[in-house]
Amino acid sequence: MIKTSFKEAIMSNLDLTIVVPTYNLGHYLPETLKSIQQQTIDFELWLIDDASTDGTAQTVADFVKGIPNFHATGFNHHRGIGAARNFGIDHATGQAMAFVENLSSIF
């Protein structure tokens, strides 16, 4: 259950969970991950790959290595963006939640 609003979490530096569904993001993903990593507030990150076929899953797995509050998982068959979002919601521990998606990830 989200205990506070996104704005309140940002303003008070409370824990935030960022959920990023991924699917065949190719060359878009590294720039997105770089931007997320540069945020200055404390956050937990969930990257959920929806059975990409272009190497996105490996990029996601490599990105989270060694960062305790960054998590990656992947589905073994394509389930859709709703399933990926729901997985992130179910595993989030932050007091507020944000989703990061770009047009190429709407599947």
Side-chain angles (χ1 to χ4, degrees):
M1 176 62 113
I2 297 174
K3 301 173 188 134
T4 189
S5 74
F6 179 74
K7 182 178 178 182
E8 290 170 330
I10 299 300
M11 298 302 290
S12 64
N13 203 27
L14 294 174
D15 291 331
L16 172 68
T17 297
I18 300 174
V19 175
V20 183
T22 65
Y23 178 71
N24 291 344
L25 293 179
H27 64 278
Y28 295 103
L29 186 58
E31 192 65 30
T32 300
L33 295 176
K34 179 181 175 185
S35 177
I36 291 170
Q37 192 171 33
Q38 292 174 342
Q39 300 307 305
T40 58
I41 61 170
D42 292 332
F43 67 95
E44 168 191 44
L45 176 66
W46 276 97
L47 298 166
I48 301 99
D49 187 71
D50 192 18
S52 293
T53 59
D54 70 346
T56 295
Q58 188 60 53
T59 300
V60 163
D62 291 344
F63 181 75
V64 303
K65 284 184 182 171
I67 306 174
N69 56 331
F70 286 15
H71 314 282
T73 193
F75 298 152
N76 58 10
H77 65 279
H78 189 66
R79 295 174 51 194
I81 196 166
R85 285 181 188 146
N86 287 338
F87 184 94
I89 291 167
D90 290 344
H91 291 83
T93 62
Q95 294 186 38
M97 183 177 304
F99 295 93
V100 174
E101 300 163 3
N102 71 40
L103 294 177
S104 65
S105 71
I106 305 300
F107 43 93

